[in-house]
């Protein structure tokens, strides 16, 4: 399991770990929303510049807060994704501070041995995972070009090397009616009534969907005063399934529910183009196995959970174009608190988050080193040359 080279990587990781953990805490304590991660990006870039050895490019892919930091000139190019954004009202309830810091720690640990391993290591600062599909934008703008594979890890409540990550589509739905005084309801067309009808229809539809499907609805706007009948309402809708083809099938039925609301209330319906349109994840088996072995060497266990669900991510879009992994490491939290909660955000800035930075970051670094030294895996990853965005879907 261990080797002199991996011991060197571990020593490098340990040397930088105090700064890396401080970075995690700083990001966690100053959360920024999608496409607004200016302080987060600056903190990461400043740390990398302090240690040298990286060629840094900011504002890549046309996104102000996206960046790349590259070390090594080797023929095998592997990317580490650092997610940056937080959740509205919750902060880093998905632990992106842990993801970013772990990736930074891995990059710092690998930089001194990149030449020896024949590696190019590229750290990618990827904004807007929670809302905006930043990685999809960067992929299509060529920021992932030149890579043979991309890796990241994510904190959650379970240790899983290959979690079940579903496809996702999201939309904004608007109803346009007629505002009126509550004392003269016959003069108005109530957009909030359309929302109510649609929600009831979606609730009934949930009885007849596949077990693996998910439908999410949140009302963003449906009136501002009790004595004013709202003529405008806004709803956000998310549909998940195993594949995008299945998302399309389910969305057609969900859309009917919103059309029924418009018909019943006598209002006009407007539906946006998909805000997010993400594939299900395709795990690279070799890289996932290496990560699990390395994480186990650090004390992690990977039970055979009956439920391996994890939601959706824009990293899945990367995974259908190049080899990729998205393993998850657990926080020791009660399951009912879960991700996307204030409790998880607090844990991400505490000892549990620090442990995930250490285990996840070092396991990623070791995984990249193992892949670079395994002739079969290296040959497979480089067989078709580095990735170049052409617009073609696999």
């Amino acid at each position: 399991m261990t080797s002199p080279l991996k011991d060197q990587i571990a020593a490098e990781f340990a040397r930088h770990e105090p700064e890396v953990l401080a970075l995690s805490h700083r990001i966690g304590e100053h959360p920024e929303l999608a496409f607004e991660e200016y302080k987060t990006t600056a903190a990461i870039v400043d740390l990398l510049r302090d240690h040298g050895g990286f060629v840094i490019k900011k504002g890549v892919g046309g996104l102000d807060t996206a960046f790349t930091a590259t070390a090594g000139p080797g023929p095998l190019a592997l990317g580490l994704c650092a997610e940056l954004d937080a959740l509205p009202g919750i902060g880093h309830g998905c632990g992106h501070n842990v993801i970013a810091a772990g990736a930074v720690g891995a990059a710092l640990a690998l930089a001194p041995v990149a030449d020896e391993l024949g590696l190019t290591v590229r750290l990618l600062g990827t904004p807007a995972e929670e809302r905006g599909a930043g990685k999809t934008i960067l992929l299509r703008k060529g920021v992932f070009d030149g890579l043979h594979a991309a890796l990241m890890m994510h904190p959650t409540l379970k240790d899983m090397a290959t979690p079940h990550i579903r496809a996702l589509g999201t939309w904004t739905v608007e109803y346009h009616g007629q505002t009126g005084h509550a004392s003269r309801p016959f003069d108005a067309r109530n957009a909030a009534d359309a929302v109510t009808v649609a929600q009831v229809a979606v609730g009934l539809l949930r009885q007849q969907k596949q077990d693996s499907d998910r439908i999410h609805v949140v009302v963003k706007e449906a009136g501002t005063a009790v004595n004013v009948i709202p003529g405008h309402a806004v709803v956000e809708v998310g549909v998940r399934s195993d594949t995008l083809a299945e998302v399309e099938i389910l969305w057609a039925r969900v859309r009917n529910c919103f059309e029924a609301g418009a018909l019943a209330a006598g209002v006009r319906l407007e539906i946006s183009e998909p805000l997010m349109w993400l594939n299900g994840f395709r795990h690279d088996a070799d890289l996932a196995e290496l990560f699990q072995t390395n994480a186990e060497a650090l004390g992690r266990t990977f039970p055979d959970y009956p439920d391996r669900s994890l939601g959706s991510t824009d990293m899945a879009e990367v995974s259908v174009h190049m080899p990729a992994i998205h393993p998850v490491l657990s926080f020791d939290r009660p399951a009912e608190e879960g991700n996307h909660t204030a409790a998880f955000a607090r844990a991400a800035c505490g000892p549990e988050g620090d442990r995930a930075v250490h285990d996840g970051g070092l396991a990623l670094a070791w995984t990249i080193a193992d892949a670079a030294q395994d002739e079969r895996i290296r040959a497979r990853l480089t067989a078709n040359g580095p990735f170049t965005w052409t617009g073609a879907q696999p």
Side-chain angles (χ1 to χ4, degrees), residues 16-330:
H16 296 294
E17 191 162 5
E19 291 175 284
V20 169
L21 294 180
L23 174 69
S24 177
H25 297 169
R26 179 177 176 183
I27 295 171
E29 292 162 3
H30 299 89
E32 298 171 296
L33 301 182
F35 300 115
E36 300 175 8
E37 311 96 332
Y38 294 99
K39 293 179 182 178
T40 299
T41 293
I44 296 172
V45 168
D46 287 348
L47 176 57
L48 294 172
R49 281 180 174 157
D50 285 346
H51 291 285
F54 290 91
V55 176
I56 298 172
K57 296 180 180 179
K58 298 176 65 177
V60 296
L63 301 182
D64 290 346
T65 55
F67 68 90
T68 61
T70 306
L76 176 62
L78 300 181
L80 288 160
C81 291
E83 294 182 349
L84 309 173
D85 59 322
L87 291 157
I90 294 176
H92 281 287
C94 212
H96 289 191
N97 60 306
V98 171
I99 297 170
V104 169
L108 288 168
L110 286 167
V113 298
D115 285 352
E116 183 178 350
L117 288 170
L119 275 176
T120 295
V121 178
R122 186 188 306 172
L123 177 70
L124 301 98
T126 60
E129 190 274 339
E130 297 292 352
R131 180 181 175 88
K135 293 186 193 66
T136 301
I137 297 171
L138 297 180
L139 187 78
R140 295 175 179 176
K141 292 290 187 177
V143 177
F144 284 81
D145 285 8
L147 293 179
H148 296 97
L151 304 85
M152 64 171 285
M153 68 86 189
H154 198 300
T156 181
L157 295 173
K158 299 175 181 176
D159 290 342
M160 297 185 290
T162 56
H164 180 197
I165 298 174
R166 294 181 172 90
L168 168 69
T170 65
W171 296 262
T172 295
V173 175
E174 292 190 63
Y175 289 117
H176 302 275
Q178 177 62 51
T179 302
H181 196 290
S183 67
R184 295 181 59 85
F186 39 81
D187 290 336
R189 293 291 180 269
N190 195 327
D193 286 351
V195 174
T196 298
V197 172
Q199 287 184 301
V200 170
V202 168
L204 294 172
L205 175 61
R206 286 190 176 101
Q207 302 174 85
Q208 295 167 334
K209 65 178 181 57
Q210 298 292 327
D211 289 345
S212 60
D213 293 339
R214 300 289 184 271
I215 305 170
H216 316 287
V217 177
V218 62
V219 180
K220 304 288 286 187
E221 177 187 340
T224 57
V226 71
N227 60 344
V228 178
I229 293 175
H232 183 244
V234 181
V235 178
E236 288 192 8
V237 185
V239 173
R240 302 182 204 260
S241 196
D242 287 339
T243 67
L244 282 175
E246 291 169 298
V247 167
E248 286 189 285
I249 293 170
L250 182 57
W251 167 240
R253 301 185 70 187
V254 172
R255 184 184 181 114
N256 287 341
C257 297
F258 286 93
E259 290 176 349
L263 179 64
V267 301
R268 180 171 62 86
L269 172 67
E270 181 182 354
I271 299 178
S272 72
E273 293 297 314
L275 304 175
M276 297 180 73
W277 189 248
L278 305 174
N279 276 283
F281 204 97
R282 302 180 187 176
H283 301 278
D284 184 88
D286 287 332
L287 295 177
E289 183 179 356
L290 288 177
F291 181 90
Q292 179 170 333
T293 299
N294 283 310
E296 286 172 341
L298 295 169
R300 293 284 177 167
T301 60
F302 291 81
D304 186 16
Y305 298 105
D307 181 5
R308 303 179 59 79
S309 301
L310 190 67
S312 306
T313 173
D314 58 3
M315 187 64 174
E317 195 63 26
V318 176
S319 78
V320 302
H321 291 280
M322 69 178 67
I325 60 170
H326 187 285
V328 295
L329 296 181
S330 64

